[in-house]
Amino acid sequence: MTGPRPVAPKGGREPWGAWARVVVAVAVRPRLWPTAAVQVGRLAPPGWWRRWPPVPRPGPEWLQFRMKTAYGDGGAVPTASDVVGWLQWCREQDLLRYPRAR
């Protein structure tokens, strides 16, 4: 967890370029795709498909809380390396929990 975190500009708009870097960092690591899909499902609120747009993403209040607790700023966006590291950790934990899933 190095370097400054991009912060959302006033008005609540997210810095899409920072999130795009996160998506690209995961996209180039096919081994993390299943883990990323599982985590998206775990973080999506119940009934996410009933809300428009039907995208399984965490609720804004939850995401703001997590960014505040992780980075000290509710508008922060994690760096791509932070997300990749977290997904690798999640994958390792799942492999420990379900050893046959290797």
Side-chain angles (χ1 to χ4, degrees):
M1 293 188 222
T2 60
R5 306 289 184 268
V7 177
K10 300 223 185 265
R13 295 180 57 199
E14 297 179 12
W16 295 109
W19 283 112
R21 285 188 287 279
V22 169
V23 170
V24 168
V26 174
V28 298
R29 293 170 174 84
R31 182 177 281 187
L32 292 179
W33 294 356
T35 303
V38 167
Q39 294 306 314
V40 165
R42 287 178 178 166
L43 297 177
W48 61 266
W49 58 88
R50 291 186 217 125
R51 297 179 192 98
W52 190 259
V55 177
R57 61 181 178 218
E61 298 85 13
W62 183 87
L63 187 58
Q64 183 179 15
F65 166 76
R66 288 301 301 133
M67 294 302 99
K68 177 83 171 175
T69 58
Y71 303 112
D73 182 352
V77 175
T79 63
S81 63
D82 285 349
V83 173
V84 167
W86 172 68
L87 287 173
Q88 288 171 336
W89 179 83
C90 290
R91 182 175 185 276
E92 291 166 9
Q93 296 305 303
D94 284 344
L95 290 175
L96 289 173
R97 179 183 264 173
Y98 310 109
R100 293 180 189 224
R102 293 178 189 204

